[in-house]
Structure formats: structure tokens, C-alpha cells
Amino acid sequence: MGCDCGDCEEMMQPYLDKVLSYEQMREAQEHLERCPPCEKRYRFEEDLRRYVRVAVEEPMSDGLKEKLAGLRSAD
Amino acid sequence: MSEGAPTAAETRRIAEEARDRVRFEEEALALSDQVYRVARRLVNSREEAEDLVQDTYARAFRSWQQYTPGTNLRAWLLRILTNLNIDRGRRQQRSPDIQPLEEGDYFLYNRLESTNPDENPDEERVLERLSQNAVVEALAEVPHDFRDVLVLVDIGEFSYAEAAQILDIPVGTVMSRLHRGRRILKQQLAEKAVSA
């Protein structure tokens, strides 16, 4: 993999979710700048999340929309 | 003056309540696309998702007064929806614990990269090898406890705290299920990409 930093792999999810402390965030960023293989994997993960979100999109049917509107109390 | 006639204050109160109710219903309906998007991936078929969303709105409209204006209505609706989904006995089909081998977070990328060693894989090309169907199927194979969190956070774009509130579980549990759920998803995707 060109990089034996298991810590980096562990940090990926919290890093992308932006829940690391300021200090950890900076450490991770510094590492990513020096380590292209990790940087590539982080970018892949980010793209993957977006890709999944779009791929599973299935618009709601008009029929359901009408049914929901029909549940309202008022006319 | 007859005893039963409503006072002016009472008439006003009734009119205000009716107005609040209509406003609530409109706001809730405006969120229905987003509610459906999450529902669709919590269950495995369009029909189930439509039933679930309908039941959710029926219940929401009945108990609209329990909603506190100004709080997160989308989360409130999803809380009803996930409760209904769990009540439906979905938990009976609780899946056995997922494969003991659990790969790390780089697994999918490494796998895709290694199955295509000639090319220098830039990320976009790698992703192209996952079909839309593969993603839908892979997500459907993630066990429910993990999928609930994954769908709320990664599809519904709820925060950890909101997901915790919706599912009524601690934030720490949201995090661990989310991390594990994402890894399981990637494991499933890796299998599909390789067998494609």
C-alpha cells in the first residue's frame, strides 16, 4: 500500500465526518500531505459516499404524494 | 346569551389551532421526498417504503400537537418512521452476526486497485466499476441495525446526534454502528465489483 499507517485508516471516518479534535485534525492533514497513498484513499472514500448517496436515489411516486396529501385534515 | 355559545377568545383559539395544524401539515408534506428517500433504503421494496411513509404521515397528522414548533421536523418524522418500522416486527428477521472477518476502511479501494493493476487507478475510474445496482444491492445486504444508522447519516444526512435521537440509542452506539456499517457496505461492494 506504500504506507503502513494503520492509524491513518482508523482516522479516516472520523476525519471525513469532521468529528476529530482540532489537534487530531491537524495531525491527519499533515500526514495526508506527506502520504499520497493515504490521501488517495481518503479522496476515494469521500467520492464513494457521494456516489452511494446518488446511486440509491429513487424518486417518490406521484401516487404516494397524492395519498399523503389526502391524509391532511383540511381540504 | 346562551350558556353553550363559544366566547370570542375560544373562537379565536380554535381558528389559531386550525391554522397551526394546516401549517404543520404543509411543512411535513414539503419534507416527504426526504422522508421517502430514507424510508426506501431502510426497507427492501418500494411497496414497503410507500406503506411505511403513509403510516408515518397518518400518525404524524394525528399527533401533530406533540411536535414542538421550531425543532427539527424532519428528525421528528423519521423518529415516527423508524419506530413504526421496528414495531412491524422487522427485528424478528434479525440477521445473524455478519462474517467474523471484517476488513478495514481501505479494503474496497485496495481491492479495486489490485484487480486492475495495469491502470493507474484514479478515483473516478475506480468508482465507475461499481454499478448503481451493485450499490443498491450492497446496501440492502447490510444488517438492519447497522443499515438504520448508515442510511440516516450517509443517505439522510443527519448528524450523529440526530441519528441517536431518532433511533433512541447513545451517540457512541451511532458511531460504532456507522463505522462498522460502512465497512460492511464496502465489503459487499468489493464482492460485487470483483464478481461483476
Side-chain angles (χ1 to χ4, degrees):
Chain A
M1 188 192 310
C3 156
D4 57 357
C5 28
D7 286 353
C8 219
E9 186 167 0
E10 283 301 315
M11 295 278 247
M12 184 168 74
Q13 294 198 38
Y15 177 85
L16 293 176
D17 287 341
K18 302 184 176 66
V19 293
L20 291 177
S21 68
Y22 178 76
E23 193 55 34
Q24 291 170 311
M25 203 76 182
R26 223 188 41 193
E27 268 171 41
Q29 267 159 3
E30 276 170 14
H31 175 81
L32 290 176
E33 278 164 26
R34 288 193 314 266
C35 182
C38 273
E39 202 263 342
K40 224 174 190 178
R41 285 164 178 78
Y42 272 49
R43 228 169 339 121
F44 171 76
E45 176 83 5
E46 222 174 0
D47 291 342
L48 177 68
R49 289 188 190 177
R50 204 173 310 125
Y51 186 75
V52 168
R53 193 156 52 235
V54 174
V56 301
E57 193 71 54
E58 182 187 290
M60 179 162 102
S61 70
D62 290 339
L64 178 59
K65 235 173 211 168
E66 278 164 31
K67 279 184 198 158
L68 295 183
L71 294 171
R72 279 179 308 186
S73 57
D75 304 305
Chain B
M1 201 190 214
S2 81
E3 195 72 359
T7 62
E10 208 175 326
T11 310
R12 199 163 52 239
R13 190 187 59 75
I14 291 167
E16 269 168 20
E17 190 181 295
R19 207 168 42 238
D20 287 350
R21 183 171 193 175
V22 168
R23 192 186 306 141
F24 169 86
E25 289 171 348
E26 278 168 4
E27 282 173 18
L29 285 173
L31 294 169
S32 62
D33 283 303
Q34 295 175 57
V35 172
Y36 177 78
R37 177 151 49 118
V38 172
R40 180 63 189 89
R41 297 305 160 201
L42 290 180
V43 299
N44 290 335
S45 74
R46 174 185 278 265
E47 293 69 36
E48 268 181 280
E50 294 202 341
D51 281 355
L52 192 54
V53 171
Q54 257 195 90
D55 291 353
T56 298
Y57 274 82
R59 185 177 287 190
F61 288 172
R62 264 199 318 275
S63 43
W64 69 281
Q65 279 167 316
Q66 288 167 26
Y67 168 72
T68 312
T71 60
N72 188 336
L73 179 56
R74 195 167 70 100
W76 190 81
L77 292 167
L78 260 305
R79 169 121 203 214
I80 294 178
L81 188 136
T82 50
N83 280 337
L84 282 172
N85 193 30
I86 291 164
D87 289 349
R88 288 175 164 206
R90 187 200 72 188
R91 297 299 179 198
Q92 284 163 10
Q93 38 157 335
R94 178 185 282 276
S95 27
D97 215 20
I98 196 90
Q99 308 88 306
L101 95 114
E102 209 185 289
E103 305 294 345
D105 268 315
Y106 287 172
F107 177 67
L108 177 63
Y109 185 89
N110 293 342
R111 186 62 105 58
L112 291 172
E113 191 182 44
S114 67
T115 52
N116 204 2
D118 328 329
E119 264 176 61
N120 180 22
D122 62 74
E123 303 69 37
E124 317 226 326
R125 300 297 301 276
V126 171
L127 272 175
E128 274 170 20
R129 297 172 48 210
L130 299 170
S131 71
Q132 186 179 348
N133 260 354
V135 176
V136 168
E137 283 170 21
L139 183 59
E141 280 161 26
V142 176
H144 281 298
D145 285 345
F146 301 103
R147 205 203 308 172
D148 287 353
V149 180
L150 190 60
V151 168
L152 286 171
V153 176
D154 281 355
I155 314 288
E157 300 180 84
F158 284 104
S159 67
Y160 291 1
E162 287 165 338
Q165 224 192 344
I166 290 169
L167 295 169
D168 201 18
I169 53 177
V171 175
T173 309
V174 166
M175 287 169 69
S176 61
R177 287 188 190 171
L178 177 66
H179 290 190
R180 196 148 169 230
R182 284 171 177 160
R183 287 180 181 182
I184 296 169
L185 176 68
K186 281 186 276 188
Q187 231 172 300
Q188 303 287 357
L189 282 171
E191 278 169 32
K192 294 188 194 307
V194 169
S195 63

